[in-house]
PDB file of all heavy atoms in Angstrom:
ATOM      1  N   ARG A 119     101.240  95.364 107.198  1.00  0.00           N
ATOM      2  CA  ARG A 119     102.115  96.389 106.635  1.00  0.00           C
ATOM      3  C   ARG A 119     101.950  96.547 105.120  1.00  0.00           C
ATOM      4  O   ARG A 119     102.543  97.428 104.513  1.00  0.00           O
ATOM      5  CB  ARG A 119     103.583  96.087 106.974  1.00  0.00           C
ATOM      6  CG  ARG A 119     103.851  96.142 108.481  1.00  0.00           C
ATOM      7  CD  ARG A 119     105.333  96.014 108.793  1.00  0.00           C
ATOM      8  NE  ARG A 119     106.081  97.147 108.268  1.00  0.00           N
ATOM      9  CZ  ARG A 119     106.208  98.318 108.903  1.00  0.00           C
ATOM     10  NH1 ARG A 119     105.615  98.513 110.065  1.00  0.00           N
ATOM     11  NH2 ARG A 119     106.924  99.287 108.379  1.00  0.00           N
ATOM     12  N   LEU A 120     101.151  95.703 104.515  1.00  0.00           N
ATOM     13  CA  LEU A 120     100.830  95.878 103.094  1.00  0.00           C
ATOM     14  C   LEU A 120      99.884  97.055 102.946  1.00  0.00           C
ATOM     15  O   LEU A 120      98.879  97.149 103.648  1.00  0.00           O
ATOM     16  CB  LEU A 120     100.179  94.613 102.543  1.00  0.00           C
ATOM     17  CG  LEU A 120      99.673  94.680 101.100  1.00  0.00           C
ATOM     18  CD1 LEU A 120     100.832  94.817 100.123  1.00  0.00           C
ATOM     19  CD2 LEU A 120      98.841  93.448 100.759  1.00  0.00           C
ATOM     20  N   GLY A 121     100.195  97.977 102.035  1.00  0.00           N
ATOM     21  CA  GLY A 121      99.345  99.138 101.829  1.00  0.00           C
ATOM     22  C   GLY A 121      97.906  98.744 101.547  1.00  0.00           C
ATOM     23  O   GLY A 121      97.645  97.866 100.713  1.00  0.00           O
ATOM     24  N   LEU A 122      96.983  99.398 102.221  1.00  0.00           N
ATOM     25  CA  LEU A 122      95.578  99.037 102.067  1.00  0.00           C
ATOM     26  C   LEU A 122      95.067  99.264 100.658  1.00  0.00           C
ATOM     27  O   LEU A 122      94.192  98.527 100.178  1.00  0.00           O
ATOM     28  CB  LEU A 122      94.731  99.840 103.061  1.00  0.00           C
ATOM     29  CG  LEU A 122      94.668  99.271 104.476  1.00  0.00           C
ATOM     30  CD1 LEU A 122      94.054 100.288 105.430  1.00  0.00           C
ATOM     31  CD2 LEU A 122      93.882  97.966 104.505  1.00  0.00           C
ATOM     32  N   ASP A 123      95.598 100.288  99.962  1.00  0.00           N
ATOM     33  CA  ASP A 123      95.162 100.508  98.586  1.00  0.00           C
ATOM     34  C   ASP A 123      95.571  99.340  97.704  1.00  0.00           C
ATOM     35  O   ASP A 123      94.800  98.885  96.852  1.00  0.00           O
ATOM     36  CB  ASP A 123      95.701 101.832  98.043  1.00  0.00           C
ATOM     37  CG  ASP A 123      97.202 101.992  98.236  1.00  0.00           C
ATOM     38  OD1 ASP A 123      97.832 101.200  98.974  1.00  0.00           O
ATOM     39  OD2 ASP A 123      97.758 102.937  97.647  1.00  0.00           O
ATOM     40  N   ARG A 124      96.773  98.817  97.921  1.00  0.00           N
ATOM     41  CA  ARG A 124      97.220  97.646  97.153  1.00  0.00           C
ATOM     42  C   ARG A 124      96.368  96.422  97.490  1.00  0.00           C
ATOM     43  O   ARG A 124      95.964  95.661  96.594  1.00  0.00           O
ATOM     44  CB  ARG A 124      98.686  97.355  97.444  1.00  0.00           C
ATOM     45  CG  ARG A 124      99.650  98.407  96.903  1.00  0.00           C
ATOM     46  CD  ARG A 124     101.068  98.183  97.419  1.00  0.00           C
ATOM     47  NE  ARG A 124     101.593  96.880  97.031  1.00  0.00           N
ATOM     48  CZ  ARG A 124     102.673  96.305  97.608  1.00  0.00           C
ATOM     49  NH1 ARG A 124     103.284  96.921  98.600  1.00  0.00           N
ATOM     50  NH2 ARG A 124     103.102  95.143  97.186  1.00  0.00           N
ATOM     51  N   TRP A 125      96.090  96.229  98.764  1.00  0.00           N
ATOM     52  CA  TRP A 125      95.295  95.081  99.196  1.00  0.00           C
ATOM     53  C   TRP A 125      93.905  95.102  98.571  1.00  0.00           C
ATOM     54  O   TRP A 125      93.436  94.104  98.017  1.00  0.00           O
ATOM     55  CB  TRP A 125      95.203  95.079 100.716  1.00  0.00           C
ATOM     56  CG  TRP A 125      94.315  94.055 101.336  1.00  0.00           C
ATOM     57  CD1 TRP A 125      93.249  94.280 102.165  1.00  0.00           C
ATOM     58  CD2 TRP A 125      94.401  92.620 101.220  1.00  0.00           C
ATOM     59  NE1 TRP A 125      92.663  93.098 102.559  1.00  0.00           N
ATOM     60  CE2 TRP A 125      93.361  92.057 101.990  1.00  0.00           C
ATOM     61  CE3 TRP A 125      95.259  91.756 100.527  1.00  0.00           C
ATOM     62  CZ2 TRP A 125      93.153  90.692 102.092  1.00  0.00           C
ATOM     63  CZ3 TRP A 125      95.052  90.384 100.624  1.00  0.00           C
ATOM     64  CH2 TRP A 125      94.016  89.861 101.392  1.00  0.00           C
ATOM     65  N   LEU A 126      93.250  96.250  98.605  1.00  0.00           N
ATOM     66  CA  LEU A 126      91.907  96.339  98.043  1.00  0.00           C
ATOM     67  C   LEU A 126      91.918  96.188  96.526  1.00  0.00           C
ATOM     68  O   LEU A 126      91.005  95.589  95.949  1.00  0.00           O
ATOM     69  CB  LEU A 126      91.255  97.665  98.438  1.00  0.00           C
ATOM     70  CG  LEU A 126      90.998  97.872  99.928  1.00  0.00           C
ATOM     71  CD1 LEU A 126      90.210  99.149 100.163  1.00  0.00           C
ATOM     72  CD2 LEU A 126      90.281  96.682 100.554  1.00  0.00           C
ATOM     73  N   ALA A 127      92.942  96.731  95.871  1.00  0.00           N
ATOM     74  CA  ALA A 127      93.051  96.569  94.421  1.00  0.00           C
ATOM     75  C   ALA A 127      93.198  95.089  94.060  1.00  0.00           C
ATOM     76  O   ALA A 127      92.621  94.620  93.071  1.00  0.00           O
ATOM     77  CB  ALA A 127      94.230  97.370  93.878  1.00  0.00           C
ATOM     78  N   MET A 128      93.937  94.346  94.870  1.00  0.00           N
ATOM     79  CA  MET A 128      94.082  92.911  94.624  1.00  0.00           C
ATOM     80  C   MET A 128      92.765  92.167  94.819  1.00  0.00           C
ATOM     81  O   MET A 128      92.414  91.285  94.030  1.00  0.00           O
ATOM     82  CB  MET A 128      95.157  92.325  95.542  1.00  0.00           C
ATOM     83  CG  MET A 128      96.564  92.702  95.145  1.00  0.00           C
ATOM     84  SD  MET A 128      97.811  91.753  96.034  1.00  0.00           S
ATOM     85  CE  MET A 128      97.680  92.439  97.666  1.00  0.00           C
ATOM     86  N   LEU A 129      92.035  92.530  95.871  1.00  0.00           N
ATOM     87  CA  LEU A 129      90.724  91.906  96.088  1.00  0.00           C
ATOM     88  C   LEU A 129      89.811  92.150  94.893  1.00  0.00           C
ATOM     89  O   LEU A 129      89.141  91.236  94.404  1.00  0.00           O
ATOM     90  CB  LEU A 129      90.075  92.469  97.354  1.00  0.00           C
ATOM     91  CG  LEU A 129      90.724  92.169  98.700  1.00  0.00           C
ATOM     92  CD1 LEU A 129      89.896  92.796  99.820  1.00  0.00           C
ATOM     93  CD2 LEU A 129      90.886  90.681  98.922  1.00  0.00           C
ATOM     94  N   GLY A 130      89.799  93.415  94.426  1.00  0.00           N
ATOM     95  CA  GLY A 130      88.958  93.751  93.286  1.00  0.00           C
ATOM     96  C   GLY A 130      89.368  93.024  92.025  1.00  0.00           C
ATOM     97  O   GLY A 130      88.523  92.515  91.275  1.00  0.00           O
TER      98      GLY A 130
END
Side-chain angles (χ1 to χ4, degrees):
R119 296 187 65 84
L120 175 67
L122 277 168
D123 51 349
R124 291 171 60 196
W125 174 238
L126 296 186
M128 287 191 289
L129 294 181

